[in-house]
Amino acid sequence: MSESNRIRVVIADDQELVRAGFAMVIGSQPDMDVVGQAGDGGHAVELAERLHPDVVLMDVRMPGMDGIEATRRIVDIDAHGPRVIILTTFDLDEYVMAAIDAGASGFLLKDTEPETLLASIRTVFQGNAIIAPSATKRLIEKMMRDGYAQNGTLPIGAPVEGPASAARRTAVSASVRSGFSAGSPAPANAPLAGGRMVDPSDPVSYTDPELELLTDREREVLVEIAHGLSNQEIADKLFISLPTVKTHVAHILSKIHARDRVQAVVFAYDNRLV
């Protein structure tokens, strides 16, 4: 395979041994090249700006600039710039959702199988997103525990979004509901899509207007996406063809203005579909 067709990867992790392990796995593939390695977020941003990689594997906890801030800065480089995969232990990481809000295309656990890591890099390179199936349940629990789905707010310490990451993160509209502050009740009789009204005593009565654009089948597919199912698994569960699932997914992303499946998952939880 010619060099121009290979997936260019930057690895950011403060542990040299971890970087070396990932580099060995990635470097063994004929369609991938490790073009740079960084030990902290600041260096990762510098490499992304200078080397223009396709994918950045990003640790979250690093000295100096952490992976969350680095992710935000990298996705702000260009609307079509590098895609970031967060690599985390998850049990110890309190900022995974903030990183996704900053524009990451997904996350994997650090103990993921090499084959899964490689497949995920290719998936993200193709413009899709990945969520580790084994972490989906824990992500749901964390979101509910932190009040994310109820308020649409980020965990404490979440970075302020730049213009490009904001464009990639449509679900952040939950933070400012038609001019209402995140977490504060809407005024009485505030209109919603479909002529429904906000109950001022119910702070979770709001749903994004885009939800009304989805058909019943598209909502079903969105729920399964939020559960972490692949397109093939959705097709098997709903007894429809794989091309039909792909069409539904494309329509969903377009209607809710989501860049990828990660944003679709956040949208589903913001609107309490799961």
Side-chain angles (χ1 to χ4, degrees):
M1 177 176 291
S2 66
E3 184 174 346
S4 61
N5 292 328
R6 292 176 184 158
I7 304 172
R8 295 163 52 82
V9 181
V10 162
I11 302 170
D13 194 291
D14 61 334
Q15 298 184 44
E16 185 175 358
L17 187 60
V18 172
R19 295 199 306 270
F22 285 137
M24 183 179 301
V25 171
I26 295 168
S28 69
Q29 300 302 295
D31 61 336
M32 298 182 189
D33 281 327
V34 176
V35 297
Q37 298 185 38
D40 59 70
H43 190 200
V45 174
E46 187 272 325
L47 290 179
E49 292 175 334
R50 177 164 55 88
L51 300 175
H52 305 289
D54 300 303
V55 178
V56 177
L57 300 182
M58 182 75 72
D59 186 20
V60 176
R61 293 189 170 181
M62 294 183 287
M65 184 187 298
D66 64 25
I68 297 171
E69 176 65 13
T71 295
R72 184 185 67 80
R73 295 194 184 192
I74 288 172
V75 300
D76 271 344
I77 292 173
D78 187 283
H80 303 287
R83 290 179 174 264
V84 180
I85 297 176
I86 298 296
L87 290 168
T88 176
T89 55
F90 197 81
D91 285 327
L92 302 176
D93 195 328
E94 296 298 322
Y95 302 107
V96 173
M97 278 306 304
I100 292 176
D101 278 298
S105 291
F107 70 89
L108 293 172
L109 303 184
K110 282 189 175 180
D111 62 357
T112 190
E113 295 293 329
E115 295 79 7
T116 302
L117 172 65
L118 296 171
S120 298
I121 292 173
R122 295 184 179 101
T123 296
V124 166
F125 174 69
Q126 293 168 358
N128 298 308
I130 51 94
I131 300 177
S134 60
T136 300
K137 183 175 183 291
R138 304 183 76 101
L139 173 61
I140 295 170
E141 292 172 348
K142 176 175 174 56
M143 290 172 71
M144 301 307 294
R145 183 174 65 250
D146 291 350
Y148 184 90
Q150 285 77 12
N151 297 322
T153 55
L154 302 182
I156 295 173
V160 177
E161 292 182 302
S165 57
R168 295 183 179 191
R169 164 66 174 119
T170 59
V172 80
S173 62
S175 298
V176 185
R177 307 296 196 183
S178 300
F180 311 142
S181 299
S184 63
N189 300 325
L192 291 178
R196 294 176 293 106
M197 312 301 289
V198 171
D199 178 356
S201 66
D202 181 8
V204 300
S205 61
Y206 182 92
T207 56
D208 287 293
E210 291 87 350
L211 184 62
E212 301 292 334
L213 302 177
L214 301 181
T215 66
D216 290 342
R217 177 62 86 181
E218 287 168 351
R219 289 193 187 203
E220 285 184 281
V221 172
L222 178 56
V223 167
E224 301 309 331
I225 291 174
H227 286 154
L229 271 62
S230 67
N231 286 348
Q232 186 61 64
E233 290 170 332
I234 294 173
D236 294 341
K237 182 172 183 178
L238 300 183
F239 301 103
I240 55 181
S241 69
L242 181 58
T244 298
V245 174
K246 291 181 178 179
T247 298
H248 284 317
V249 172
H251 288 169
I252 291 168
L253 297 183
S254 176
K255 288 180 179 181
I256 67 175
H257 309 294
R259 183 189 62 163
D260 51 38
R261 295 169 82 99
V262 171
Q263 290 187 356
V265 170
V266 175
F267 178 92
Y269 285 104
D270 270 345
N271 291 279
R272 299 173 303 284
L273 295 182
V274 286

